[in-house]
Amino acid sequence: NYKELEKILFSMDGKSYSVYKSLKGEYKFEKYILAIDHVQSDPYAPPSKMRVIMDRKICGIPCELTDTKDKNIAVSDFLTRNFYREIQKIGNDSTGTGGSGRIFIDRCGQEILERTSVLIKRDKVEVRFEMGMPARGRRIMLKAAQKIIFEQLPEIVEKSIIYDNLNKKALNEQVILVLDQEYARKMLKEKGLVAFVANDSVLPRESGVSDRPMKNAVKFKSPEKFEITLKLPSGKEVSGMGIPKGITLIVGGGYHGKSTLLAALERGVYNHIAQDGREFIISESDAVKIRAEDGRNVEKVNISGFINNLPQNKDTKAFSTENASGSTSQAANVAEALEYGTSLLLIDEDTSATNFMIRDGRMQKLVAKEKEPITPFIDRVKELYDDFGVSTILIVGGSGDYFDVANHVIMMDEYVPKDVTEKAKEIAKSDENKREFSSNDKFKGVTQRIPLKKSFSQSGKLDKTKAKGKYSILYGKELIDISGMEQLVDDSQTNCIALMVDYFKNKVLDEKLTLSQVADRIYEKIEKEGLDSISSYTGHPGNLALPRKQEFCGAVNRYRKLKIK
Ligand code: ADP
Ligand code: MG
């Protein structure tokens, strides 16, 4: 028990740092068990990994608050934020070296994600955190170690995990909020919608580096034509703009808030915390932002629906390149999204290749069909919806060609959306310089690809995958750049993708399953056995947050040594 830990610590005073290693083990405290799973080897190394394991009865959180997956995620997120806040309150007065005397826990952003930071089971609650074991130089600092383990940690735990000490109202509200958001997302399909933006939502963010809501922003107000009201399980009713299935065009002058609206819809695949301003901006959970990503690697993707007859007869049914152009990368991103499965594509002119999006009547007259490899998105967007059930919301502020194919046209005017569908349709009708449909054949869909095992054996051995920040993953010496995936929101999702790739290459890859099927297997496992099960560590599993299938597959597809059957 903890007396033992006290004794061992006492005997360590002033000894060399590596002696800390022998602390590994479990110690019984008054209200919890402290599990020291991994001890850092020096004060500058990543901090030591520990868990607090508490009996559910002592914790006291009622079962009704955690009896479904969604509720469990809501409570776990709440406790993680609490624990984080209590750490900040305690501050750090340590004078030691490196991360000495500091406690860390995974940091939550504006989204509420499934995480490993706090595990809630029927019989126990487990907090996974890290501690910088105190040192002066490279010598163990007894006093500081005693303080952090026997004073600070118990205080943080007491204040942030024990139900009686929590802000019960806020906890309850967070659970209700998540349930309402999940319900709203389920209602989309029933109402024939792909997205919903509640009135009074705050869409813009504080700055390019802060995801908090902008202060004094113009609040969202739905155009009358699109306004619907959702009755939520909590009894609350929210009104706002329902964006129907089909093709929705967002137009408007520069700087009038188009990209801000689309960005909010991109994030609408996730649930958000109270006060975020986007609590009821809800999109189909499989919505994918599509952008040009020149320079990316593409491996045997069927982009023939968009690109054909490339110079030198390059095959576009199984198109590969190590350095995709704007248009080919965007075509590959669409094809891959269709492979994993999506019901909604989100496209912004700011990050699109113009020649992928449009080709106007004049250009069609000048450059013969046979000479142009690209069938622009405008000639496929209707087929995608009619034949494949995939809706698109896109911003095109610079060309009216999309008026012909759009089902709805929304204009952003000083941050306020207006319905301009009829006017746009009239203009389209009266126009003489019409463009022609530019393809000779129908869109035939995409090809499901089977990843090969040999993609992952560099120099004969299997390396480990490791996340480096939010936007890159290191596999052996190979860097996977995933900065093109704008719907990835958290470093811990990247950590999780790295472990999922590890698991995928070691256990699931069998040369019969397609990438999409392989991903489904992994998600099934996580669903059944929990997010911990993807980690190879025992005890503290690392800071993981569940990414979507879209982002997991997206990372695999950006791996430059990926080989496809
Ligand atoms: P567009 O894509 O139409 O050119 P943006 O969406 O990029 O315009 O928005 C331009 C600027 O206006 C951004 O700095 C954004 O933060 C700000 N903005 C967007 N929506 C609002 C709003 N509702 N209230 C206040 N400022 C906003
Ligand atoms: Mg823009």
Side-chain angles (χ1 to χ4, degrees):
N1 65 20
Y2 71 95
K3 288 248 161 64
E4 215 176 304
L5 180 60
E6 263 174 343
K7 241 197 260 154
I8 307 174
L9 258 186
F10 199 75
S11 70
M12 287 180 175
D13 190 19
K15 289 200 177 142
S16 115
Y17 201 82
S18 59
V19 175
Y20 267 141
K21 285 256 175 217
S22 61
L23 288 181
K24 206 172 146 176
E26 297 195 352
Y27 306 92
K28 197 168 164 12
F29 281 63
E30 190 192 341
K31 291 195 176 171
Y32 55 81
I33 290 168
L34 173 66
I36 301 178
D37 295 322
H38 172 264
V39 183
Q40 65 204 101
S41 49
D42 79 83
Y44 295 96
S48 304
K49 289 186 159 61
M50 307 187 183
R51 287 169 300 147
V52 156
I53 306 161
M54 188 183 281
D55 197 285
R56 183 72 186 252
K57 282 194 209 87
I58 294 175
C59 165
I61 292 180
C63 286
E64 311 87 74
L65 279 182
T66 59
D67 58 6
T68 68
K69 178 119 189 240
D70 292 330
K71 289 182 180 177
N72 196 302
I73 292 172
V75 175
S76 157
D77 174 278
F78 188 88
L79 296 182
T80 304
R81 287 173 201 273
N82 258 338
F83 198 91
Y84 184 88
R85 213 174 300 123
E86 291 304 327
I87 292 172
Q88 309 313 310
K89 276 189 205 158
I90 280 194
N92 174 30
D93 54 5
S94 154
T95 52
T97 10
S100 270
R102 293 171 63 183
I103 297 175
F104 307 87
I105 192 165
D106 201 9
R107 183 172 192 177
C108 306
Q110 297 295 102
E111 282 80 18
I112 297 173
L113 304 173
E114 179 173 352
R115 282 181 199 272
T116 50
S117 51
V118 173
L119 176 75
I120 306 172
K121 294 243 174 178
R122 257 216 308 271
D123 56 337
K124 63 168 185 183
V125 172
E126 231 182 87
V127 185
R128 287 80 180 269
F129 63 97
E130 288 144 316
M131 186 184 283
M133 297 305 288
R136 179 168 291 128
R138 291 186 192 276
R139 304 253 150 224
I140 290 174
M141 247 173 120
L142 173 67
K143 279 243 155 56
Q146 282 173 329
K147 185 171 169 194
I148 193 168
I149 293 175
F150 296 105
E151 288 169 35
Q152 297 183 326
L153 180 64
E155 190 181 334
I156 293 168
V157 172
E158 181 73 27
K159 285 189 179 155
S160 62
I161 304 298
I162 304 266
Y163 185 60
D164 272 335
N165 302 330
L166 302 183
N167 181 342
K168 295 187 181 116
K169 183 162 167 279
L171 172 61
N172 209 37
E173 280 170 359
Q174 170 141 317
V175 172
I176 288 171
L177 179 62
V178 167
L179 294 180
D180 277 353
Q181 293 180 5
E182 283 296 321
Y183 178 84
R185 201 168 285 108
K186 281 202 192 84
M187 289 304 283
L188 291 177
K189 279 224 166 56
E190 224 161 280
K191 303 230 172 215
L193 305 174
V194 286
F196 175 79
V197 184
N199 291 338
D200 294 326
S201 292
V202 175
L203 279 58
R205 301 292 95 192
E206 198 168 60
S207 75
V209 293
S210 164
D211 202 31
R212 288 170 201 263
M214 177 189 275
K215 292 181 188 91
N216 307 318
V218 177
K219 296 204 169 150
F220 191 83
K221 176 83 184 83
S222 170
E224 228 169 274
K225 185 178 141 193
F226 295 109
E227 188 158 289
I228 61 152
T229 300
L230 295 177
K231 271 192 116 155
L232 302 172
S234 65
K236 199 172 142 186
E237 293 189 1
V238 290
S239 299
M241 177 170 84
I243 302 181
K245 291 181 177 174
I247 299 148
T248 303
L249 186 62
I250 301 170
V251 301
Y255 221 71
H256 279 254
K258 303 183 296 298
S259 296
T260 304
L261 171 57
L262 200 80
L265 295 173
E266 286 163 27
R267 294 298 182 91
V269 300
Y270 298 113
N271 295 329
H272 288 94
I273 53 170
Q275 313 301 328
D276 172 75
R278 298 172 296 187
E279 293 94 308
F280 289 99
I281 301 181
I282 306 283
S283 313
E284 279 287 10
S285 55
D286 60 1
V288 181
K289 169 72 176 284
I290 299 292
R291 58 169 295 166
E293 207 181 327
D294 26 318
R296 73 158 277 198
N297 187 64
V298 176
E299 179 64 13
K300 290 194 184 169
V301 177
N302 182 355
I303 56 168
S304 62
F306 300 101
I307 297 177
N308 248 314
N309 309 321
L310 281 179
Q312 301 174 335
N313 271 331
K314 212 165 158 35
D315 185 10
T316 57
K317 286 204 175 68
F319 178 76
S320 303
T321 175
E322 287 179 27
N323 187 6
S325 66
S327 56
T328 49
S329 62
Q330 199 163 359
N333 282 342
V334 174
E336 287 172 354
L338 296 174
E339 264 184 63
Y340 329 140
T342 180
S343 52
L344 175 62
L345 303 177
L346 301 168
I347 304 181
D348 189 340
E349 59 184 357
D350 296 352
T351 48
S352 289
T354 308
N355 58 345
F356 176 78
M357 295 302 292
I358 51 178
R359 183 170 343 112
D360 71 5
R362 284 185 170 168
M363 199 50 86
Q364 285 185 321
K365 279 184 190 139
L366 186 66
V367 181
K369 234 184 239 180
E370 297 72 41
K371 292 281 176 205
E372 174 54 75
I374 303 176
T375 302
F377 191 71
I378 186 170
D379 289 322
R380 293 302 191 202
V381 65
K382 217 170 130 20
E383 287 175 285
L384 280 177
Y385 181 60
D386 293 342
D387 304 340
F388 297 86
V390 178
S391 298
T392 300
I393 301 175
L394 78 174
I395 301 176
V396 182
S399 158
D401 283 351
Y402 273 90
F403 293 172
D404 291 323
V405 291
N407 302 111
H408 310 280
V409 185
I410 295 166
M411 180 164 82
M412 292 306 285
D413 181 8
E414 308 209 3
Y415 312 131
V416 181
K418 308 247 159 81
D419 170 42
V420 293
T421 311
E422 270 174 39
K423 205 161 171 198
K425 289 288 176 193
E426 253 168 54
I427 294 169
K429 253 190 245 155
S430 68
D431 199 355
E432 287 143 37
N433 224 337
K434 271 226 168 291
R435 58 185 305 284
E436 282 168 38
F437 185 71
S438 65
S439 178
N440 299 322
D441 54 3
K442 277 183 80 74
F443 183 66
K444 293 189 199 68
V446 296
T447 314
Q448 295 288 340
R449 292 167 303 145
I450 297 175
L452 294 177
K453 274 199 158 146
K454 69 171 184 214
S455 316
F456 292 98
S457 50
Q458 301 177 356
S459 65
K461 69 172 197 309
L462 288 175
D463 281 302
K464 264 210 172 302
T465 346
K466 208 172 153 41
K468 291 260 174 246
K470 183 154 73 168
Y471 293 122
S472 35
I473 294 171
L474 203 60
Y475 173 62
K477 289 197 180 93
E478 192 70 31
L479 196 71
I480 312 176
D481 176 3
I482 53 175
S483 58
M485 303 199 302
E486 294 174 287
Q487 287 169 293
L488 197 69
V489 294
D490 199 295
D491 292 13
S492 298
Q493 285 181 313
T494 311
N495 282 338
C496 193
I497 290 176
L499 292 182
M500 288 167 80
V501 171
D502 255 337
Y503 182 79
F504 148 90
K505 70 181 203 289
N506 297 337
K507 305 248 168 69
V508 196
L509 213 56
D510 72 346
E511 320 229 323
K512 287 190 200 72
L513 298 173
T514 67
L515 176 55
S516 174
Q517 287 168 331
V518 170
D520 288 341
R521 293 280 163 100
I522 300 176
Y523 281 90
E524 274 162 33
K525 177 188 167 73
I526 292 175
E527 177 72 32
K528 234 188 275 155
E529 300 166 34
L531 198 46
D532 283 3
S533 68
I534 212 72
S535 170
S536 49
Y537 300 107
T538 45
H540 193 312
N543 294 333
L544 311 180
L546 190 66
R548 299 187 309 158
K549 179 186 178 187
Q550 279 73 17
E551 276 70 48
F552 166 70
C553 292
V556 174
N557 272 320
R558 282 163 181 77
Y559 170 50
R560 287 181 176 271
K561 296 227 162 91
L562 180 68
K563 297 276 179 299
I564 295 290
K565 201 167 179 175

